[in-house]
Amino acid sequence: MKKLFAALFVAAVMAAGAFAEDSFPTGSWIDSNYDAEWVFGIDGTIEVRDANTGALYFSFTKDQITDYKLGASKDGLTMSFTCPATSRKYKFTKPITLSTDLIMEIDPDWSDENYKTNIKFKR
């Protein structure tokens, strides 16, 4: 019975990935550790803003992003990219849960210490 549930889970993840392969959730998520608002636009834009004032910190334009990947795995829907202008690799995961949180991971080029946190959907 456990094997059947495992097989169904894998099939569900792969099916979800097939339909979501070209889009990542859009909206705004708050990183409360840095008072930063991550905005994922419908047009594929990604911005980081001050969560309190809305001031723009950084805009990840298509010409600044390399190694862009979007896909599904057992962990959920994942988007990752590298930004040479910030010297960091970014990974955002929407887990397969009812929660609206995203898991954000930032890997700076100059350090072995990565930053990983849950960011909350802005209501």
Side-chain angles (χ1 to χ4, degrees), residues 9-37:
F9 177 75
V10 169
V13 167
M14 292 177 77
F19 290 107
E21 196 66 31
D22 63 345
S23 64
F24 194 76
T26 58
S28 296
W29 281 262
I30 304 296
D31 177 358
S32 58
N33 295 326
Y34 289 94
D35 289 329
E37 178 178 354

PDB file of all heavy atoms in Angstrom, residues 9-37:
ATOM      1  N   PHE A   9       2.090   9.714  -5.484  1.00  0.00           N
ATOM      2  CA  PHE A   9       2.692  11.004  -5.143  1.00  0.00           C
ATOM      3  C   PHE A   9       3.658  11.450  -6.236  1.00  0.00           C
ATOM      4  O   PHE A   9       3.625  12.601  -6.672  1.00  0.00           O
ATOM      5  CB  PHE A   9       3.410  10.907  -3.795  1.00  0.00           C
ATOM      6  CG  PHE A   9       4.124  12.167  -3.414  1.00  0.00           C
ATOM      7  CD1 PHE A   9       3.413  13.268  -2.958  1.00  0.00           C
ATOM      8  CD2 PHE A   9       5.494  12.267  -3.523  1.00  0.00           C
ATOM      9  CE1 PHE A   9       4.050  14.442  -2.623  1.00  0.00           C
ATOM     10  CE2 PHE A   9       6.157  13.436  -3.190  1.00  0.00           C
ATOM     11  CZ  PHE A   9       5.433  14.513  -2.732  1.00  0.00           C
ATOM     12  N   VAL A  10       4.500  10.536  -6.682  1.00  0.00           N
ATOM     13  CA  VAL A  10       5.460  10.865  -7.744  1.00  0.00           C
ATOM     14  C   VAL A  10       4.716  11.258  -9.016  1.00  0.00           C
ATOM     15  O   VAL A  10       5.065  12.233  -9.685  1.00  0.00           O
ATOM     16  CB  VAL A  10       6.425   9.682  -8.000  1.00  0.00           C
ATOM     17  CG1 VAL A  10       7.238   9.899  -9.264  1.00  0.00           C
ATOM     18  CG2 VAL A  10       7.337   9.495  -6.806  1.00  0.00           C
ATOM     19  N   ALA A  11       3.664  10.541  -9.359  1.00  0.00           N
ATOM     20  CA  ALA A  11       2.879  10.861 -10.556  1.00  0.00           C
ATOM     21  C   ALA A  11       2.235  12.242 -10.434  1.00  0.00           C
ATOM     22  O   ALA A  11       2.208  13.015 -11.388  1.00  0.00           O
ATOM     23  CB  ALA A  11       1.819   9.797 -10.798  1.00  0.00           C
ATOM     24  N   ALA A  12       1.743  12.572  -9.231  1.00  0.00           N
ATOM     25  CA  ALA A  12       1.115  13.878  -9.018  1.00  0.00           C
ATOM     26  C   ALA A  12       2.131  15.002  -9.166  1.00  0.00           C
ATOM     27  O   ALA A  12       1.849  16.038  -9.763  1.00  0.00           O
ATOM     28  CB  ALA A  12       0.460  13.935  -7.642  1.00  0.00           C
ATOM     29  N   VAL A  13       3.342  14.800  -8.620  1.00  0.00           N
ATOM     30  CA  VAL A  13       4.388  15.814  -8.733  1.00  0.00           C
ATOM     31  C   VAL A  13       4.768  16.018 -10.191  1.00  0.00           C
ATOM     32  O   VAL A  13       4.905  17.146 -10.665  1.00  0.00           O
ATOM     33  CB  VAL A  13       5.629  15.425  -7.889  1.00  0.00           C
ATOM     34  CG1 VAL A  13       6.822  16.294  -8.237  1.00  0.00           C
ATOM     35  CG2 VAL A  13       5.300  15.531  -6.418  1.00  0.00           C
ATOM     36  N   MET A  14       4.914  14.925 -10.928  1.00  0.00           N
ATOM     37  CA  MET A  14       5.300  15.038 -12.333  1.00  0.00           C
ATOM     38  C   MET A  14       4.190  15.696 -13.150  1.00  0.00           C
ATOM     39  O   MET A  14       4.462  16.513 -14.020  1.00  0.00           O
ATOM     40  CB  MET A  14       5.649  13.664 -12.884  1.00  0.00           C
ATOM     41  CG  MET A  14       6.918  13.103 -12.252  1.00  0.00           C
ATOM     42  SD  MET A  14       7.310  11.454 -12.804  1.00  0.00           S
ATOM     43  CE  MET A  14       7.977  11.828 -14.403  1.00  0.00           C
ATOM     44  N   ALA A  15       2.941  15.372 -12.855  1.00  0.00           N
ATOM     45  CA  ALA A  15       1.826  15.989 -13.583  1.00  0.00           C
ATOM     46  C   ALA A  15       1.749  17.477 -13.273  1.00  0.00           C
ATOM     47  O   ALA A  15       1.557  18.298 -14.163  1.00  0.00           O
ATOM     48  CB  ALA A  15       0.516  15.308 -13.221  1.00  0.00           C
ATOM     49  N   ALA A  16       1.926  17.826 -12.012  1.00  0.00           N
ATOM     50  CA  ALA A  16       1.909  19.250 -11.643  1.00  0.00           C
ATOM     51  C   ALA A  16       3.044  19.978 -12.345  1.00  0.00           C
ATOM     52  O   ALA A  16       2.880  21.101 -12.809  1.00  0.00           O
ATOM     53  CB  ALA A  16       2.033  19.406 -10.128  1.00  0.00           C
ATOM     54  N   GLY A  17       4.188  19.336 -12.422  1.00  0.00           N
ATOM     55  CA  GLY A  17       5.332  19.944 -13.101  1.00  0.00           C
ATOM     56  C   GLY A  17       5.083  20.155 -14.574  1.00  0.00           C
ATOM     57  O   GLY A  17       5.498  21.152 -15.154  1.00  0.00           O
ATOM     58  N   ALA A  18       4.382  19.233 -15.200  1.00  0.00           N
ATOM     59  CA  ALA A  18       4.104  19.368 -16.627  1.00  0.00           C
ATOM     60  C   ALA A  18       3.223  20.574 -16.909  1.00  0.00           C
ATOM     61  O   ALA A  18       3.393  21.265 -17.909  1.00  0.00           O
ATOM     62  CB  ALA A  18       3.430  18.098 -17.143  1.00  0.00           C
ATOM     63  N   PHE A  19       2.292  20.862 -16.012  1.00  0.00           N
ATOM     64  CA  PHE A  19       1.400  21.999 -16.228  1.00  0.00           C
ATOM     65  C   PHE A  19       2.004  23.307 -15.755  1.00  0.00           C
ATOM     66  O   PHE A  19       1.661  24.365 -16.232  1.00  0.00           O
ATOM     67  CB  PHE A  19       0.064  21.769 -15.513  1.00  0.00           C
ATOM     68  CG  PHE A  19      -0.745  20.690 -16.149  1.00  0.00           C
ATOM     69  CD1 PHE A  19      -0.882  19.459 -15.538  1.00  0.00           C
ATOM     70  CD2 PHE A  19      -1.332  20.869 -17.390  1.00  0.00           C
ATOM     71  CE1 PHE A  19      -1.611  18.446 -16.127  1.00  0.00           C
ATOM     72  CE2 PHE A  19      -2.056  19.859 -17.992  1.00  0.00           C
ATOM     73  CZ  PHE A  19      -2.199  18.643 -17.358  1.00  0.00           C
ATOM     74  N   ALA A  20       2.914  23.249 -14.781  1.00  0.00           N
ATOM     75  CA  ALA A  20       3.469  24.471 -14.205  1.00  0.00           C
ATOM     76  C   ALA A  20       4.871  24.761 -14.706  1.00  0.00           C
ATOM     77  O   ALA A  20       5.555  25.609 -14.178  1.00  0.00           O
ATOM     78  CB  ALA A  20       3.486  24.341 -12.685  1.00  0.00           C
ATOM     79  N   GLU A  21       5.297  24.061 -15.721  1.00  0.00           N
ATOM     80  CA  GLU A  21       6.679  24.157 -16.183  1.00  0.00           C
ATOM     81  C   GLU A  21       7.045  25.544 -16.700  1.00  0.00           C
ATOM     82  O   GLU A  21       8.202  25.903 -16.714  1.00  0.00           O
ATOM     83  CB  GLU A  21       6.911  23.114 -17.277  1.00  0.00           C
ATOM     84  CG  GLU A  21       8.345  22.831 -17.573  1.00  0.00           C
ATOM     85  CD  GLU A  21       9.094  22.178 -16.427  1.00  0.00           C
ATOM     86  OE1 GLU A  21       8.511  21.430 -15.651  1.00  0.00           O
ATOM     87  OE2 GLU A  21      10.295  22.449 -16.307  1.00  0.00           O
ATOM     88  N   ASP A  22       6.074  26.342 -17.109  1.00  0.00           N
ATOM     89  CA  ASP A  22       6.421  27.638 -17.679  1.00  0.00           C
ATOM     90  C   ASP A  22       6.024  28.815 -16.801  1.00  0.00           C
ATOM     91  O   ASP A  22       6.094  29.942 -17.240  1.00  0.00           O
ATOM     92  CB  ASP A  22       5.792  27.782 -19.070  1.00  0.00           C
ATOM     93  CG  ASP A  22       4.278  27.753 -19.033  1.00  0.00           C
ATOM     94  OD1 ASP A  22       3.712  27.349 -18.003  1.00  0.00           O
ATOM     95  OD2 ASP A  22       3.661  28.135 -20.032  1.00  0.00           O
ATOM     96  N   SER A  23       5.611  28.566 -15.547  1.00  0.00           N
ATOM     97  CA  SER A  23       5.251  29.688 -14.695  1.00  0.00           C
ATOM     98  C   SER A  23       5.525  29.366 -13.229  1.00  0.00           C
ATOM     99  O   SER A  23       5.447  28.229 -12.803  1.00  0.00           O
ATOM    100  CB  SER A  23       3.782  30.066 -14.880  1.00  0.00           C
ATOM    101  OG  SER A  23       2.953  29.013 -14.454  1.00  0.00           O
ATOM    102  N   PHE A  24       5.858  30.395 -12.501  1.00  0.00           N
ATOM    103  CA  PHE A  24       6.099  30.302 -11.066  1.00  0.00           C
ATOM    104  C   PHE A  24       5.032  31.156 -10.403  1.00  0.00           C
ATOM    105  O   PHE A  24       4.534  32.111 -11.010  1.00  0.00           O
ATOM    106  CB  PHE A  24       7.510  30.820 -10.754  1.00  0.00           C
ATOM    107  CG  PHE A  24       7.979  30.471  -9.383  1.00  0.00           C
ATOM    108  CD1 PHE A  24       8.398  29.188  -9.075  1.00  0.00           C
ATOM    109  CD2 PHE A  24       8.015  31.430  -8.376  1.00  0.00           C
ATOM    110  CE1 PHE A  24       8.835  28.855  -7.809  1.00  0.00           C
ATOM    111  CE2 PHE A  24       8.455  31.111  -7.105  1.00  0.00           C
ATOM    112  CZ  PHE A  24       8.869  29.818  -6.818  1.00  0.00           C
ATOM    113  N   PRO A  25       4.644  30.856  -9.166  1.00  0.00           N
ATOM    114  CA  PRO A  25       3.620  31.685  -8.514  1.00  0.00           C
ATOM    115  C   PRO A  25       3.972  33.172  -8.560  1.00  0.00           C
ATOM    116  O   PRO A  25       5.143  33.540  -8.423  1.00  0.00           O
ATOM    117  CB  PRO A  25       3.625  31.165  -7.077  1.00  0.00           C
ATOM    118  CG  PRO A  25       4.111  29.762  -7.180  1.00  0.00           C
ATOM    119  CD  PRO A  25       5.102  29.769  -8.314  1.00  0.00           C
ATOM    120  N   THR A  26       2.987  33.984  -8.792  1.00  0.00           N
ATOM    121  CA  THR A  26       3.195  35.431  -8.829  1.00  0.00           C
ATOM    122  C   THR A  26       2.618  36.064  -7.569  1.00  0.00           C
ATOM    123  O   THR A  26       1.743  35.509  -6.917  1.00  0.00           O
ATOM    124  CB  THR A  26       2.537  36.062 -10.072  1.00  0.00           C
ATOM    125  OG1 THR A  26       1.146  35.757 -10.066  1.00  0.00           O
ATOM    126  CG2 THR A  26       3.172  35.542 -11.344  1.00  0.00           C
ATOM    127  N   GLY A  27       3.136  37.223  -7.224  1.00  0.00           N
ATOM    128  CA  GLY A  27       2.691  37.929  -6.038  1.00  0.00           C
ATOM    129  C   GLY A  27       3.885  38.441  -5.262  1.00  0.00           C
ATOM    130  O   GLY A  27       4.998  38.529  -5.783  1.00  0.00           O
ATOM    131  N   SER A  28       3.651  38.759  -3.996  1.00  0.00           N
ATOM    132  CA  SER A  28       4.693  39.312  -3.135  1.00  0.00           C
ATOM    133  C   SER A  28       4.859  38.454  -1.888  1.00  0.00           C
ATOM    134  O   SER A  28       3.871  38.040  -1.283  1.00  0.00           O
ATOM    135  CB  SER A  28       4.322  40.731  -2.700  1.00  0.00           C
ATOM    136  OG  SER A  28       4.274  41.591  -3.807  1.00  0.00           O
ATOM    137  N   TRP A  29       6.124  38.235  -1.523  1.00  0.00           N
ATOM    138  CA  TRP A  29       6.456  37.470  -0.328  1.00  0.00           C
ATOM    139  C   TRP A  29       7.412  38.303   0.514  1.00  0.00           C
ATOM    140  O   TRP A  29       8.265  39.007  -0.015  1.00  0.00           O
ATOM    141  CB  TRP A  29       7.122  36.143  -0.700  1.00  0.00           C
ATOM    142  CG  TRP A  29       6.135  35.109  -1.134  1.00  0.00           C
ATOM    143  CD1 TRP A  29       5.616  34.105  -0.363  1.00  0.00           C
ATOM    144  CD2 TRP A  29       5.531  34.953  -2.414  1.00  0.00           C
ATOM    145  NE1 TRP A  29       4.732  33.345  -1.104  1.00  0.00           N
ATOM    146  CE2 TRP A  29       4.668  33.846  -2.368  1.00  0.00           C
ATOM    147  CE3 TRP A  29       5.644  35.647  -3.619  1.00  0.00           C
ATOM    148  CZ2 TRP A  29       3.925  33.418  -3.459  1.00  0.00           C
ATOM    149  CZ3 TRP A  29       4.898  35.237  -4.708  1.00  0.00           C
ATOM    150  CH2 TRP A  29       4.059  34.128  -4.613  1.00  0.00           C
ATOM    151  N   ILE A  30       7.278  38.211   1.837  1.00  0.00           N
ATOM    152  CA  ILE A  30       8.062  39.016   2.760  1.00  0.00           C
ATOM    153  C   ILE A  30       9.119  38.171   3.464  1.00  0.00           C
ATOM    154  O   ILE A  30       8.814  37.133   4.051  1.00  0.00           O
ATOM    155  CB  ILE A  30       7.154  39.673   3.834  1.00  0.00           C
ATOM    156  CG1 ILE A  30       6.046  40.512   3.186  1.00  0.00           C
ATOM    157  CG2 ILE A  30       7.980  40.494   4.819  1.00  0.00           C
ATOM    158  CD1 ILE A  30       6.523  41.707   2.399  1.00  0.00           C
ATOM    159  N   ASP A  31      10.367  38.644   3.378  1.00  0.00           N
ATOM    160  CA  ASP A  31      11.468  38.090   4.158  1.00  0.00           C
ATOM    161  C   ASP A  31      11.586  38.983   5.384  1.00  0.00           C
ATOM    162  O   ASP A  31      12.161  40.069   5.318  1.00  0.00           O
ATOM    163  CB  ASP A  31      12.758  38.090   3.337  1.00  0.00           C
ATOM    164  CG  ASP A  31      13.956  37.583   4.130  1.00  0.00           C
ATOM    165  OD1 ASP A  31      13.806  37.261   5.331  1.00  0.00           O
ATOM    166  OD2 ASP A  31      15.056  37.526   3.546  1.00  0.00           O
ATOM    167  N   SER A  32      11.006  38.538   6.498  1.00  0.00           N
ATOM    168  CA  SER A  32      10.957  39.375   7.702  1.00  0.00           C
ATOM    169  C   SER A  32      12.332  39.573   8.341  1.00  0.00           C
ATOM    170  O   SER A  32      12.529  40.519   9.098  1.00  0.00           O
ATOM    171  CB  SER A  32       9.985  38.785   8.724  1.00  0.00           C
ATOM    172  OG  SER A  32      10.367  37.467   9.065  1.00  0.00           O
ATOM    173  N   ASN A  33      13.297  38.723   8.029  1.00  0.00           N
ATOM    174  CA  ASN A  33      14.647  38.896   8.577  1.00  0.00           C
ATOM    175  C   ASN A  33      15.314  40.165   8.052  1.00  0.00           C
ATOM    176  O   ASN A  33      16.162  40.750   8.727  1.00  0.00           O
ATOM    177  CB  ASN A  33      15.536  37.696   8.238  1.00  0.00           C
ATOM    178  CG  ASN A  33      15.054  36.424   8.891  1.00  0.00           C
ATOM    179  OD1 ASN A  33      14.523  36.442   9.996  1.00  0.00           O
ATOM    180  ND2 ASN A  33      15.219  35.311   8.207  1.00  0.00           N
ATOM    181  N   TYR A  34      14.960  40.568   6.847  1.00  0.00           N
ATOM    182  CA  TYR A  34      15.586  41.740   6.221  1.00  0.00           C
ATOM    183  C   TYR A  34      14.568  42.806   5.806  1.00  0.00           C
ATOM    184  O   TYR A  34      14.919  43.744   5.095  1.00  0.00           O
ATOM    185  CB  TYR A  34      16.407  41.316   4.997  1.00  0.00           C
ATOM    186  CG  TYR A  34      17.656  40.580   5.386  1.00  0.00           C
ATOM    187  CD1 TYR A  34      17.686  39.195   5.446  1.00  0.00           C
ATOM    188  CD2 TYR A  34      18.807  41.279   5.726  1.00  0.00           C
ATOM    189  CE1 TYR A  34      18.835  38.519   5.826  1.00  0.00           C
ATOM    190  CE2 TYR A  34      19.960  40.623   6.110  1.00  0.00           C
ATOM    191  CZ  TYR A  34      19.965  39.240   6.157  1.00  0.00           C
ATOM    192  OH  TYR A  34      21.097  38.568   6.535  1.00  0.00           O
ATOM    193  N   ASP A  35      13.314  42.668   6.223  1.00  0.00           N
ATOM    194  CA  ASP A  35      12.263  43.601   5.804  1.00  0.00           C
ATOM    195  C   ASP A  35      12.276  43.792   4.299  1.00  0.00           C
ATOM    196  O   ASP A  35      12.185  44.905   3.783  1.00  0.00           O
ATOM    197  CB  ASP A  35      12.397  44.957   6.506  1.00  0.00           C
ATOM    198  CG  ASP A  35      12.032  44.867   7.979  1.00  0.00           C
ATOM    199  OD1 ASP A  35      11.167  44.037   8.328  1.00  0.00           O
ATOM    200  OD2 ASP A  35      12.608  45.620   8.777  1.00  0.00           O
ATOM    201  N   ALA A  36      12.401  42.678   3.591  1.00  0.00           N
ATOM    202  CA  ALA A  36      12.461  42.713   2.130  1.00  0.00           C
ATOM    203  C   ALA A  36      11.212  42.069   1.552  1.00  0.00           C
ATOM    204  O   ALA A  36      10.715  41.065   2.063  1.00  0.00           O
ATOM    205  CB  ALA A  36      13.697  41.972   1.627  1.00  0.00           C
ATOM    206  N   GLU A  37      10.707  42.674   0.501  1.00  0.00           N
ATOM    207  CA  GLU A  37       9.544  42.151  -0.215  1.00  0.00           C
ATOM    208  C   GLU A  37      10.014  41.662  -1.583  1.00  0.00           C
ATOM    209  O   GLU A  37      10.544  42.425  -2.379  1.00  0.00           O
ATOM    210  CB  GLU A  37       8.498  43.249  -0.388  1.00  0.00           C
ATOM    211  CG  GLU A  37       7.278  42.803  -1.154  1.00  0.00           C
ATOM    212  CD  GLU A  37       6.233  43.892  -1.285  1.00  0.00           C
ATOM    213  OE1 GLU A  37       6.395  44.980  -0.688  1.00  0.00           O
ATOM    214  OE2 GLU A  37       5.241  43.665  -1.999  1.00  0.00           O
TER     215      GLU A  37
END
